[in-house]
């Protein structure tokens, strides 16, 4: 019985020591996983109308459920909160449709998405008056495969890989041009519909843009590709997307979009205070320490070993009490 109780005190003192020394484990964060909402400009614009579609992109696997929530901004006259559920498709994209026809135009809102253990940043938006409420909506994540299209907006962080869905229409090959002379970088890739499904996802590795001979990949056959050579990593900014039928890029594209390369946040570390090396004492020099210096040194010493001393004291007192108890 004495041994069990003594062990309990020892365990307790060890725990106190761990707390005092700050031994805490932190969960790892996988910075490669993303969940983003796609929009152009400084805010997400929707209309006070039916079938307002919100698009997103993620690294989550296909079939995982994603929730998109929209709520009126703080202080808005028209207060609302709505959520919609959807699933990630095979292209790593998702979309939900909101009926906002009963909401007041010019109302500001905040929208976000979460699912699969990830959450997006909050995106500010605004409801605009309905421009043509009598027409039927045609918005969707990807148009039918019988139309040659490129996804309207893609966002990716600098040095990460962007996924750009395209459809072939009646063509067996399409060519995607990323960027242009006005943005200082151009990449061109031609893909062939080898599985005859009318769709392809072109992956563009921004870390290899301007360096590697093959910054683009696809689930279909890559027939040809080229790019501008760069001396540094691709700059953040908006890069036009232009889709052409076949391999010829002369003339007007059949569809256009925008690739937004976002700047990667710089993580700042808390500077660590380094202890200066003690200055050697001269044999004829007598150090003078005032009362404040002595008190500061004692305070630092007590703070360093306080937790350990407390644990040890508790263990000694406990054992002493138990020994006295059994001897009596």
């Amino acid at each position: 019985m004495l041994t069990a109780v003594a062990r309990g005190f020892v365990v307790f003192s060890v725990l106190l020591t761990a707390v005092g020394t700050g031994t805490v484990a932190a969960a790892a964060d996988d910075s490669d996983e993303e969940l983003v909402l796609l929009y152009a400009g400084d805010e997400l614009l929707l209309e006070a109308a039916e079938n307002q579609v919100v698009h997103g992109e993620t690294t989550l696997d296909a079939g995982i459920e994603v929730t998109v929530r929209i709520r009126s901004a703080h202080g808005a006259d028209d207060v609302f909160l709505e959520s919609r559920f959807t699933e990630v498709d095979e292209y790593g994209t998702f979309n939900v449709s909101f009926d906002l026809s009963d909401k007041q135009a010019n109302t500001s809102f905040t929208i976000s998405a979460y699912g699969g253990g990830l959450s997006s940043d909050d995106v500010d938006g605004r409801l605009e008056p309905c421009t043509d409420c009598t027409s039927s909506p045609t918005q969707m994540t990807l148009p039918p495969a019988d139309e040659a299209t490129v996804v309207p907006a893609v966002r990716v962080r600098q040095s990460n890989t962007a996924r750009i869905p395209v459809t072939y229409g009646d063509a067996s090959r399409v060519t995607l041009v990323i960027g242009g002379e006005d943005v200082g970088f151009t990449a061109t890739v031609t893909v062939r519909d080898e599985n005859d499904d009318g769709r392809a996802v072109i992956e563009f590795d921004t870390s290899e843009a301007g360096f590697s001979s093959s910054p683009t990949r696809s689930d279909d056959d890559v027939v040809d590709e080229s790019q501008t050579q760069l001396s540094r990593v691709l700059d953040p900014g908006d890069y036009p997307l232009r889709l052409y039928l076949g391999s010829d890029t002369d003339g007007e594209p059949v569809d256009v979009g925008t690739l937004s390369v976002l700047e990667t946040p710089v993580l700042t570390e808390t500077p660590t205070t380094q202890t200066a090396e003690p200055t050697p004492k001269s044999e004829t020099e007598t150090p003078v320490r005032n009362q404040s210096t002595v008190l500061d040194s004692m305070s630092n010493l007590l703070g360093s070993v306080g937790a350990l001393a407390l644990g040890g004291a508790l263990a000694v007192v406990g054992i002493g009490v138990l020994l006295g108890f059994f001897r009596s």
Side-chain angles (χ1 to χ4, degrees):
M1 179 176 181
L2 175 61
T3 302
V5 176
R7 286 178 179 173
F9 277 110
V10 173
V11 171
F12 182 57
S13 66
V14 170
L15 291 175
L16 287 176
T17 304
V19 173
T21 56
T23 307
V24 181
D29 179 24
D30 189 351
S31 58
D32 292 335
E33 295 186 344
E34 288 186 325
L35 181 66
V36 296
L37 295 173
L38 304 178
Y39 62 98
D42 297 330
E43 59 182 353
L44 176 61
L45 299 179
L46 299 174
E47 293 186 356
E50 297 179 351
N51 296 292
Q52 296 302 293
V53 180
V54 177
H55 304 274
E57 182 184 39
T58 181
T59 55
L60 293 172
D61 294 334
I64 293 181
E65 185 177 272
V66 173
T67 302
V68 179
R69 184 179 67 176
I70 182 173
R71 66 180 184 274
S72 54
H74 179 71
D77 294 334
D78 185 10
V79 180
F80 60 85
L81 172 63
E82 295 189 18
S83 297
R84 295 291 184 273
F85 305 95
T86 186
E87 291 184 354
V88 180
D89 63 22
E90 59 182 315
Y91 302 102
T93 61
F94 60 89
N95 73 287
V96 294
S97 176
F98 287 94
D99 181 2
L100 305 175
S101 59
D102 60 341
K103 305 298 185 290
Q104 183 177 334
N106 300 316
T107 298
S108 298
F109 62 81
T110 300
I111 190 167
S112 60
Y114 57 91
L118 302 179
S119 59
S120 71
D121 294 334
D122 287 344
V123 175
D124 294 331
R126 180 167 48 86
L127 289 181
E128 295 188 319
C130 181
T131 55
D132 187 6
C133 291
T134 61
S135 62
S136 58
T138 58
Q139 290 177 299
M140 57 190 307
T141 301
L142 281 178
D146 58 359
E147 300 176 17
T149 60
V150 60
V151 67
V154 177
R155 297 176 68 196
V156 65
R157 290 206 179 275
Q158 193 178 26
S159 298
N160 286 354
T161 299
R163 296 183 303 278
I164 309 172
V166 299
T167 53
Y168 290 87
D170 295 332
S172 59
R173 297 185 181 188
V174 292
T175 298
L176 178 67
V177 178
I178 304 171
E181 294 183 0
D182 55 336
V183 293
F185 174 80
T186 304
T188 303
V189 56
T190 300
V191 293
R192 180 177 63 87
D193 188 11
E194 61 179 345
N195 55 7
D196 296 325
D197 66 345
R199 302 178 182 274
V201 175
I202 297 175
E203 296 185 349
F204 176 62
D205 190 343
T206 62
S207 67
E208 298 182 2
F211 298 99
S212 170
S213 59
S214 302
T216 54
R217 297 178 294 273
S218 176
D219 52 350
D220 273 348
D221 183 24
V222 176
V223 178
D224 189 24
E225 59 181 325
S226 63
Q227 67 168 336
T228 304
Q229 295 300 307
L230 299 175
S231 59
R232 60 182 186 275
V233 177
L234 188 67
D235 290 331
D238 291 336
Y239 294 83
L241 300 174
R242 302 188 302 275
L243 187 70
Y244 298 85
L245 297 178
S247 304
D248 190 1
T249 57
D250 293 333
E252 294 295 321
V254 294
D255 199 17
V256 296
T258 301
L259 168 64
S260 297
V261 179
L262 308 179
E263 186 174 3
T264 301
V266 178
L267 300 179
T268 58
E269 296 182 356
T270 303
T272 302
T273 303
Q274 296 183 351
T275 305
E277 293 292 334
T279 304
K281 299 178 182 179
S282 172
E283 293 181 359
T284 60
E285 188 179 36
T286 303
V288 178
R289 304 181 66 188
N290 58 30
Q291 184 178 7
S292 176
T293 303
V294 174
L295 291 176
D296 290 343
S297 299
M298 293 178 63
S299 176
N300 291 335
L301 178 61
L302 290 174
S304 302
V305 301
L308 180 60
L310 177 60
L314 288 175
V316 171
V317 171
I319 294 174
V321 171
L322 289 173
L323 286 174
F325 172 78
F326 282 107
R327 287 177 180 175
S328 63

